[in-house]
Amino acid sequence: MPAWLDDFLWTYQNLINTLGVNGLLALSMYVVLAVGQLSLGQAAFMGLGAYSSALMTMKLHLPFFVVLPASCVVPVLFALAIGVPTLRLSGVYLAIATIGLGEVLRTVYLNVDLVGGALGLNGIPERAEAWMIYGLLVVAIAALWLIGRSHVGRAMEAMRQDPVAASVMGVDVQRYQLGALLASAVLAGIAGCLSAHQSSFIGPNEYGFEPAVTILSFALLGGIGTPVASVVGAFILTLLPELLRGFSDLRLVFNGLIIVAAVLFLPRGLVALRMRRRAA
Amino acid sequence: MLAQQLVNGVLLGATYALFALGFTLMFGVLRVINLTYGFYFSAGAFLALFLTRNLGFGVWAALPLAAIGAGVLAVVIDAALLTRLRRTKAPELSSLMVTLGGVLALYAGMTAWLGPDIRRLPPGLISADAIEFAGVRVTAAQGLILGATALLVAGLVALMRFTRLGLALRAMAEKPDAAGLMGIDTGRAAALVSFISGCLAGAGGVLIGLNFNAIHPFMGEAMMLRGFVVIILGGLGDIRGALVAGLALGVIETLTAGFVASNLKEAVAFALLVAVLWTRPQGLFGRAAIRRA
């Protein structure tokens, strides 16, 4: 490896890892939006993955190759508890039930000594490498791409356009929606585990309302036509504040306005590609 | 001790009910989960702070003025964010997302402008006296909460039930298109609903600010969690349900804080929300009362 590249990677290691993690989070948002639902629990699921995996590493001393897949267990359980009752109902229920989750978990983290209270957890071993993050990101994109091209993807797109029509055509809408929510919890949990094991510190305030909305802005900026588009959105919105350091106060204002603008004027996102499929 | 807890719980619940009423009214008539709603709560509290601290108003003038200010803000923001989506009959999740982005921008802008610190109303704004009756203390601020909530709720119910305007709003809640065809100016009615809801949220912000004397930009966000629990518990769009559920949530939170642990009250509220979704998603009273009223 040439020296300048080595230098570059070392200097920007943190940013490079964050980019990959945010890409995974954008995918976890994409999966839910792709079936026409809105979950605002991505940050909360990420936090659950981060905290549960950090505890597994620090208290149970489990090796990382066990911790990483196990980090999605707790988020999936929460997704089941919230998703099963709400997905029987209209879409607003899932959104309402998940939007509060992050803030509630914040107050729980703050008050439970096992997870360090307000101080958070410090000294988590740095076991997540960039190649793992990007490897998983590529695997996730490829998997979602293949699913999107298959008949499942066609069913997903149909229920996004019109869930009633899709169910009349024999698509089991609720099962797909629950599956999407669980997949989203898995991706967010793993992203949480990776980010906890690369920054060595996690705190209760990192998984509340603001990150939840920021993750939504990733997917809406990129667009939800293809999985790659939402990852592009995440990369843009992660790099932009780095370039505009002087305006850090206004970063969240900007993220919020992106959501407004994307829904009102750019419903298909910046990368308005459509999945290609063979005719049925 | 228990009696005092119950009274405190009911008074806290009265503000929850007041706050949730505007939220459920917006959903009932406009069919939008408007997440900017919590911002009007913060805005009402900050307006009251400005009016009392900088302009020297008393609480009797500051409360209605701040509520009206929050109402006007609600009309402007609603028009900016939702007019276009209403016209194109966009799916309900689109309008939810727009208000979500909008509220993040509003909170972050407010924090960048005013700072995240907790501010306090001027001392002596409301008398610190308390009435004591059979060992139960009720402070002047709590009395004001009860009085203002009762007045606003009675006014809203009377408006919805006994006036032509209320009839028009109920018609809109039932069938917006048909209401438009019957000569109801739906655009104006939407603005009016935003105004009423904004006033209720703003008044709630002032009252909570008075009661706990802590005002900061994100206070509306913490309140929104209660709003969600109350409208799910009471049934989306159900005015009577919101009242009962608000009072119930206040009592449950106060009892949790008093007898279990004060920092678990959010978790208890949320567990309640999930439990209701599992067992009775239509809300405690079933269908929305705003339609039957």
Side-chain angles (χ1 to χ4, degrees), chain B residues 155-213:
Chain B
L156 181 67
V157 172
L159 175 81
M160 293 303 280
R161 262 176 196 267
F162 302 124
T163 64
R164 281 183 68 80
L165 184 66
L167 186 66
L169 295 183
R170 272 159 29 216
M172 261 182 80
E174 201 71 49
K175 280 245 178 343
D177 291 341
L181 291 173
M182 293 298 114
I184 294 167
D185 184 343
T186 51
R188 237 183 59 196
L192 192 82
V193 168
S194 299
F195 178 73
I196 296 173
S197 296
C199 286
L200 292 172
V206 180
L207 293 173
I208 285 279
L210 269 175
N211 197 20
F212 296 111
N213 206 4

Side-chain angles (χ1 to χ4, degrees), chain B residues 266-289:
Chain B
E266 278 92 359
V268 169
F270 188 74
L272 194 65
L273 185 152
V274 175
V276 171
L277 286 174
W278 273 94
T279 53
R280 239 191 118 66
Q282 68 275 51
L284 290 179
F285 299 103
R287 282 179 58 78

